[in-house]
Amino acid sequence: METKLDLEPITLPGVELARPMVIAGPCSAETEEQVMNTARELAANGVKIFRAGIWKPRTRPGAFEGIGSEGLAWMQRVKKETGMFVSTEVATAHHVHEAIKYGVDLLWIGARTTANPFAVQEIADALRGTNIPVFVKNPVNPDLELWIGAFERLNRAGIKKLGAIHRGFSTYEKTKYRNHPMWQIPIELHRRIPDLPIITDPSHITGDCNLIQDMSQEAMDMNFDGLIIESHECPAQAWSDAKQQVTPAHLKMILDSLVLREHVVGDSTKQTLNELRGEIDKLDVVLLETLAKRMKISEEIGKYKYEHGITILQERRYDEVLQSRREKAEKQGLNPDFVVKFYEDIHEESVATQNAVMKQMSKK
């Protein structure tokens, strides 16, 4: 089911935002010299939209929390001297008013702020009556409805130039990424709001400048609209997030290496794709029929456990199933983590089925 929003294309005066839309600049505005040096290099490499954090929400007190409104004057200078548009993150109504006063062209709402509906509503109210483009980062935790709710609040305040920033999600799983990409969530967002532009933040997803190129290519392969990448004149000396920033020269290399694939399927490839998709459709029918049979057996197990006074959850059996399926997945060349997650979902539904059966039988 689609979510209906009243949207307009994101435009900036005199600039055609062709795919990929690129927003680049340092994690934080640190000094006027650092901002200007980085901006000049990025502009020389063709970047049209400059980013810099003016206010930085930090996990713990005592860390550098941004230069504050002083840095907005530096952003004005960037606009004047390089011709680039400028963008920054806002988390309060005060931030919004200051950014607009200094002529910031594009705003985004950070992941921590998106997770707080009160904060999003405050920003939406402060933006009422403006026509500035606003991007919204996904909330820290994988909550699609919370993300969509932020767009709805802004849209109800009259903000029509909206976009999404996919920056990954916090997880307890150990991965090579700072934030797990969980591609299925922004893909579902696109399905729900097809006209909403989505750009990816490979800096925050990876947390590692060496992984940004591959992550950027993945975003393009997903047919996302652009990238927001942290770039600093000297990342090693950055006051925040040094490991995930790239130099302007490195950024140029990343952008030059991107392969933009066709989204529309031509007649020459449509027949082959349709044949392959037809095979998947047939296998999905078999898969669904097999799942239905499995759940029928779960019902029988629930009846048996009820009749013999056995608890639903059998931890040893569950552990054995997961370990066995992981080993079989590896032998079949499948991703074992995917298969384990798949069986965890099946087990959850199986437990729910057995529980429902027991409740029904207890009422007889």
Side-chain angles (χ1 to χ4, degrees):
M1 180 178 177
E2 290 187 11
T3 299
K4 299 296 184 182
L5 296 180
D6 184 10
L7 299 176
E8 293 179 358
I10 292 179
T11 57
L12 293 170
V15 173
E16 182 180 348
L17 298 176
R19 181 175 179 267
M21 176 184 182
V22 176
I23 304 173
C27 172
S28 302
E30 301 162 359
T31 67
E32 187 170 8
E33 180 183 19
Q34 168 251 4
V35 167
M36 294 308 304
N37 287 345
T38 305
R40 290 188 190 104
E41 287 190 58
L42 290 171
N45 290 337
V47 175
K48 303 296 184 185
I49 306 174
F50 182 78
R51 59 142 291 158
I54 298 296
W55 304 277
K56 300 297 296 181
R58 307 311 298 272
T59 302
R60 302 180 67 178
F64 175 60
E65 295 184 336
I67 202 71
S69 296
E70 176 186 356
L72 292 172
W74 308 341
M75 302 284 267
Q76 280 187 325
R77 187 179 167 195
V78 168
K79 287 183 65 173
K80 182 178 180 180
E81 294 189 16
T82 70
M84 282 196 289
F85 297 95
V86 295
S87 61
T88 197
E89 177 180 341
V90 292
T92 68
H94 171 70
H95 295 169
V96 171
H97 296 316
E98 287 290 283
I100 291 175
K101 181 173 71 176
Y102 280 88
V104 173
D105 301 288
L106 183 150
L107 303 175
W108 77 83
I109 296 173
R112 289 180 173 90
T113 308
T114 305
N116 183 346
F118 292 113
V120 174
Q121 189 61 56
E122 177 185 325
I123 292 169
D125 292 339
L127 285 165
R128 197 178 298 272
T130 70
N131 196 33
I132 190 170
V134 180
F135 279 79
V136 181
K137 287 195 173 185
N138 61 258
V140 175
N141 295 319
D143 189 334
L144 177 61
E145 298 305 321
L146 195 58
W147 200 4
I148 291 176
F151 293 113
E152 291 176 327
R153 290 178 184 276
L154 291 162
N155 203 223
R156 289 182 181 182
I159 307 304
K160 298 182 179 182
K161 295 180 179 180
L162 291 172
I165 299 177
H166 165 229
R167 51 79 76 191
F169 302 85
S170 294
T171 175
Y172 288 110
E173 297 177 28
K174 290 184 178 180
T175 74
K176 62 181 179 180
Y177 300 125
R178 177 179 177 182
N179 294 292
H180 199 292
M182 296 188 186
W183 294 104
Q184 70 275 17
I185 296 177
I187 289 171
E188 177 61 14
L189 176 68
H190 178 67
R191 191 190 68 80
R192 293 272 295 272
I193 316 176
D195 295 331
L196 184 73
I198 302 177
I199 66 175
T200 289
D201 180 347
S203 303
H204 278 90
I205 291 177
T206 65
D208 184 342
C209 63
N210 296 309
L211 300 176
I212 288 176
Q213 183 171 348
D214 287 346
M215 184 57 60
S216 298
Q217 184 62 58
E218 283 191 53
M220 293 300 96
D221 290 345
M222 295 290 177
N223 197 40
F224 287 179
D225 298 278
L227 303 163
I228 178 169
I229 299 177
E230 292 185 347
S231 180
H232 190 291
E233 64 166 337
C234 185
Q237 296 178 10
W239 296 3
S240 57
D241 286 347
K243 293 181 179 180
Q244 67 188 41
Q245 300 194 63
V246 296
T247 64
H250 187 180
L251 176 64
K252 185 177 188 306
M253 184 196 74
I254 291 170
L255 298 178
D256 288 346
S257 72
L258 291 178
V259 177
L260 302 182
R261 308 184 196 284
E262 293 293 331
H263 178 55
V264 178
V265 179
D267 292 337
S268 61
T269 56
K270 189 177 293 184
Q271 182 176 350
T272 301
L273 270 178
N274 286 340
E275 289 173 358
L276 293 172
R277 288 167 176 167
E279 291 299 313
I280 285 180
D281 291 342
K282 292 175 186 176
L283 290 171
D284 281 347
V285 170
V286 175
L287 184 61
L288 290 169
E289 290 174 348
T290 303
L291 281 173
K293 292 177 182 178
R294 196 183 195 283
M295 288 305 160
K296 284 291 184 184
I297 296 173
S298 290
E299 289 180 13
E300 294 301 316
I301 291 174
K303 292 176 184 177
Y304 185 86
K305 286 179 177 178
Y306 178 83
E307 292 168 351
H308 292 81
I310 302 172
T311 60
I312 292 176
L313 186 60
Q314 301 287 310
E315 290 89 349
R316 177 180 289 183
R317 163 66 180 168
Y318 180 47
D319 291 341
E320 288 174 351
V321 166
L322 290 185
Q323 182 59 33
S324 168
R325 297 339 181 235
R326 174 180 286 276
E327 291 172 357
K328 285 183 169 66
E330 290 176 343
K331 290 179 181 178
Q332 293 288 336
L334 294 169
N335 181 342
D337 292 333
F338 158 72
V339 171
V340 167
K341 186 177 184 302
F342 178 66
Y343 272 96
E344 286 173 344
D345 290 341
I346 290 177
H347 180 261
E348 182 179 345
E349 182 63 21
S350 180
V351 167
T353 298
Q354 293 180 38
N355 188 41
V357 168
M358 283 192 168
K359 283 182 179 179
Q360 187 176 9
M361 294 185 70
S362 66
K363 292 178 181 178
K364 293 181 179 179

